[in-house]
Amino acid sequence: MTRTEYPGHTAARSRYALELREVVKVHGHGDTSVTALDRVALGIPRGTFTAVMGPSGSGKSTLLHCAAGLDRPTSGSVVLDGRELSGLDETALTRLRRDRMGFVFQSFNLVPTLTVEQNVTLPLEFAGRRADRHTVRTLLTRLGLGERMDRLPAELSGGQQQRVAIARALLSRPAVVFADEPTGALDTQAARDVLDILREAVTASDQTIVMVTHDPVAASYADTVVFFADGRIAGTMSRPTADAVAARMAQLAAVSQAQPAGSAR
């Protein structure tokens, strides 16, 4: 992967699991309008791990919401796994999110009355698909949960609960897994375990992951970091290290603090 595969790159479209094409997102109207995304052009190659970072209000969360079809852009288009989201109604969007996207959030969003196995297979059941128990057990064993399939979430640590959420996201082999601050509620060791799992999903299983994070250590697990400021891409970093990411974030924060309140969210 090279730096040119990110902002503005237009060749080999089929290589991308996710594309944002000149995406604009404006909240509100008239004098009170806020531009959260300003003509964002971004391509995420298949089988890569991308971290999205930026100061508070930079637009990174809005980027994730538009990319995942949770919010609609004001203009421009989002293409996920070859499907343009703008032409889909809510029913089709829901189906696409269920079948071709995985989600991992800071809050684990597990159903407390269901076992580990039941939580992992729940999305497939909603889709009317039967999960192969051997596949589920193999996945959970790989994530260190093979002996906990019949446990309830309350019987697990925070790191184990997040691994259940990751298993749920990975089971259907989605085109893209969106991770929103997945280590934000975890201690240092649990966070590293979760990041190792996400990294392995890319390296060993050719999964595509887009992760929003504020943590330079978390970002260092990615192949590429995309930096946001004021609703625009402010640069990328390949083969990131925690120190290099932290230094770049400090620069962006300094610029943001020196300017009037930004327009992005």
Side-chain angles (χ1 to χ4, degrees), residues 47-253:
T48 61
F49 190 168
T50 301
V52 180
M53 302 190 76
S56 178
S58 61
K60 57 186 184 295
S61 293
T62 303
L63 170 77
L64 185 144
H65 292 160
C66 287
L70 300 171
D71 199 358
R72 291 185 183 271
T74 304
S75 64
S77 63
V78 176
V79 179
L80 187 139
D81 198 29
R83 297 287 300 278
E84 185 169 336
L85 304 191
S86 61
L88 303 179
D89 60 21
E90 289 303 319
T91 300
L93 267 176
T94 299
R95 187 179 301 113
L96 185 66
R97 284 194 294 266
R98 184 189 65 201
D99 295 341
R100 302 303 298 142
M101 305 182 204
F103 296 92
V104 182
F105 299 102
Q106 181 174 335
S107 56
F108 314 128
N109 293 334
L110 303 180
V111 180
T113 56
L114 298 184
T115 66
V116 166
E117 181 181 10
Q118 290 168 336
N119 267 286
V120 169
T121 60
L122 189 61
L124 289 183
E125 292 186 8
F126 281 147
R129 296 160 57 190
R130 184 171 182 174
D132 178 71
R133 199 162 196 267
H134 175 73
T135 300
V136 175
R137 180 178 290 279
T138 299
L139 176 60
L140 288 172
T141 298
R142 182 159 60 90
L143 300 186
L145 296 167
E147 302 302 318
R148 295 175 170 82
M149 290 179 63
D150 297 324
R151 301 286 184 87
L152 296 174
E155 300 177 88
L156 305 178
S157 69
Q160 289 169 334
Q161 290 186 60
Q162 190 61 297
R163 279 184 264 166
V164 175
I166 292 172
R168 182 178 58 193
L170 294 177
L171 182 61
S172 64
R173 296 285 300 169
V176 180
V177 171
F178 294 100
D180 191 359
E181 300 284 3
T183 60
L186 304 178
D187 62 42
T188 300
Q189 185 56 54
R192 288 176 178 171
D193 291 343
V194 164
L195 290 165
D196 283 336
I197 289 167
L198 294 176
R199 180 68 259 175
E200 182 191 3
V202 174
T203 304
S205 303
D206 206 32
Q207 184 62 63
T208 304
I209 295 176
V210 178
M211 176 180 70
V212 170
T213 183
H214 69 281
D215 182 3
V217 173
S220 71
Y221 283 73
D223 299 306
T224 296
V225 180
V226 178
F227 296 98
F228 264 73
D230 296 322
R232 303 182 184 94
I233 294 173
T236 65
M237 181 182 295
S238 299
R239 299 180 181 178
T241 65
D243 288 344
V245 172
R248 180 61 175 140
M249 284 294 295
Q251 293 173 351
L252 291 175

